[in-house]
């Protein structure tokens, strides 16, 4: 295997490129999972009104708006990791870790304290400032959102640890691969010149003229 002037082989650069692509794809998938989990209803319950019990519900984006916002931040960090130079990539990877951890924490918080997610709709329906929510039922979507955040955080941690070895862009790897055959030919020499000189000698031409 031939080596580049900087001592790194093309296969090693390709492995780093595949590793980067895998980590960032996983991070993006986690962020998209968290965003998708915010669409369905997370929590249902009932609140007392003058007309009796009325059902209240909260979708994920209302129950945990922070999770949605941080999932979008995580997606932006993935883009920054794929395009930025080393310092920008390290900062974006750190943001990815923090955003993913925040998404996970928001999902777990709703799962462990679902009544809080119903507080706003319960006040709206009952007209009371401190309504008592009953019959609270939580669907598994908060945990799905938390899992997406955890995936983002784990991928961000991998980017923090491994990001220094990644190339700035896949274009650099392609340029390095294209430059490798040229590095084997001395400067100013052409592969066709030795053959042309041999043919000239065979015809009896004087190569010194």
């Amino acid at each position: 295997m031939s080596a580049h002037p900087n001592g790194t082989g093309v296969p090693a650069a390709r492995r780093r490129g595949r590793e980067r692509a895998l980590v960032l794809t996983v991070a993006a998938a986690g962020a998209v999972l968290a965003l998708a989990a915010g669409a369905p209803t997370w929590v249902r319950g009932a609140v007392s009104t003058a007309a009796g019990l009325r059902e209240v519900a909260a979708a994920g984006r209302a129950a945990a708006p922070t999770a949605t916002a941080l999932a979008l931040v995580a997606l932006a960090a993935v883009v920054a990791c794929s395009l930025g130079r080393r310092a920008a990539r390290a900062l974006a990877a750190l943001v990815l870790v923090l955003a993913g951890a925040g998404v996970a924490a928001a999902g777990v918080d709703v799962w462990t304290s679902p009544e809080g997610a119903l507080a706003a709709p319960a006040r709206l329906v009952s007209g009371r400032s401190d309504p008592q929510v009953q019959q609270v039922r939580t669907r598994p979507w908060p945990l799905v959102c938390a899992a997406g955040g955890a995936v983002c955080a784990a991928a961000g941690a991998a980017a923090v640890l491994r990001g220094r070895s990644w190339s700035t862009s896949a274009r650099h790897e392609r340029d390095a691969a294209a430059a490798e055959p040229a590095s084997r030919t001395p400067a100013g020499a052409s592969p066709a010149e030795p053959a042309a000189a041999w043919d000239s000698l065979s015809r009896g031409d004087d190569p010194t003229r």
Side-chain angles (χ1 to χ4, degrees):
M1 181 182 70
S2 61
H4 295 292
N6 62 3
T8 59
V10 174
R14 289 175 179 169
R15 284 196 299 271
R16 290 193 295 270
R18 287 194 295 266
E19 178 185 71
R20 177 187 60 200
L22 176 61
V23 169
L24 297 183
T25 299
V26 170
V32 170
L33 178 62
L35 285 173
T41 298
W42 282 16
V43 187
R44 292 184 182 275
V47 63
S48 296
T49 67
L53 286 178
R54 287 189 58 184
E55 185 178 86
V56 289
R61 290 167 188 168
T66 302
T68 299
L70 290 177
L72 293 173
V73 170
L75 280 179
V78 170
V79 174
C81 279
S82 66
L83 299 178
R85 295 184 179 274
R86 180 175 295 180
R89 187 167 56 238
L91 179 60
L94 182 59
V95 170
L96 184 57
V97 173
L98 297 176
V103 170
V108 171
D109 182 61
V110 173
W111 178 259
T112 55
S113 303
E115 295 84 0
L118 294 175
R123 284 195 296 268
L124 182 63
V125 169
S126 67
R128 300 173 182 173
S129 60
D130 189 19
Q132 297 297 315
V133 181
Q134 309 172 38
Q135 303 173 9
V136 178
R137 304 179 303 280
T138 308
R139 302 181 70 187
W141 292 112
L143 293 181
V144 175
C145 179
V151 168
C152 284
V160 169
L161 295 175
R162 299 290 300 162
R164 291 184 178 181
S165 67
W166 295 346
S167 299
T168 301
S169 69
R171 178 182 176 183
H172 289 183
E173 295 164 14
R174 292 194 299 269
D175 292 346
E180 181 183 0
S183 66
R184 302 177 185 176
T185 304
S190 170
E193 288 180 2
W198 180 259
D199 291 341
S200 178
L201 288 173
S202 299
R203 292 193 301 268
D205 296 338
D206 186 356
T208 62
R209 290 187 300 174

